[in-house]
Amino acid sequence: MEAQPVEPSALGFLLYRAHQLARGRANQAARPTGLELSHAAVLSTVRSGGVRSQRELGATLGIDKSTLVRIVDDLERRGLVNRRRAPEDRRAYEIVLTDAGEQRLTEAGELFSGAMTGLLEVLAEPERRQLHDLLTRFVDQP
């Protein structure tokens, strides 16, 4: 029997449900650190060093300006990042990870990883690799 074609809307719904499941489990696991995935995405991107300004950060993460400002405000209140005027453009702000931010991100990262490992237990290692490769190709399309 020949496999039926995949309905695009069904696939879209599965991707949405997978996102909800992964995000919920990760956020629940990292609750002791006070970080959610949105916080970790900002902290990780800042830590990578390639992005400095709030504008670049929002563009890189695909986060709208008002949402990003709320996240950065929250992280700054907690002492996990600092904002400072960009030396090359005094109108722009750089986001800088603090030592406390680095430590909290490391703690949360371990908890996020554990949550994802638990979710992925339904897949054999070759299937995990295949899922990773397929999702990487999917999100890297032009």
Side-chain angles (χ1 to χ4, degrees):
M1 182 173 206
E2 197 172 310
Q4 295 296 312
V6 174
E7 173 63 39
S9 62
L11 186 55
F13 180 71
L14 284 172
L15 286 168
Y16 175 73
R17 287 287 299 128
H19 167 77
Q20 284 183 312
L21 179 63
R23 183 183 186 116
R25 293 274 177 94
N27 286 343
Q28 182 180 10
R31 188 166 285 137
T33 67
L35 293 183
E36 293 186 353
L37 281 175
S38 59
H39 297 111
V42 169
L43 293 173
S44 294
T45 304
V46 170
R47 178 171 61 184
S48 74
V51 173
R52 286 290 197 191
S53 75
Q54 273 188 211
R55 183 177 302 132
E56 291 173 327
L57 191 55
T60 298
L61 293 171
I63 297 176
D64 66 89
K65 184 179 176 181
S66 61
T67 301
L68 180 64
V69 167
R70 279 195 308 275
I71 294 169
V72 173
D73 284 349
D74 188 32
L75 294 170
E76 190 174 36
R77 262 191 311 278
R78 297 180 198 196
L80 305 179
V81 298
N82 289 320
R83 275 188 186 105
R84 64 180 179 212
R85 292 283 184 188
E88 67 281 348
D89 182 356
R90 301 294 296 159
R91 297 169 296 169
Y93 284 97
E94 285 185 338
I95 309 300
V96 180
L97 190 65
T98 65
D99 290 342
E102 178 71 43
Q103 181 179 349
R104 189 79 55 88
L105 179 59
T106 298
E107 293 166 2
E110 292 170 4
L111 297 171
F112 291 143
S113 181
M116 291 305 100
T117 297
L119 279 174
L120 292 169
E121 285 179 348
V122 300
L123 302 174
E125 186 56 41
E127 293 171 315
R128 292 178 193 188
R129 168 58 45 203
Q130 183 181 20
L131 178 61
H132 178 272
D133 293 347
L134 290 169
L135 288 173
T136 299
R137 195 167 75 204
F138 183 80
V139 300
D140 285 347
Q141 62 184 307

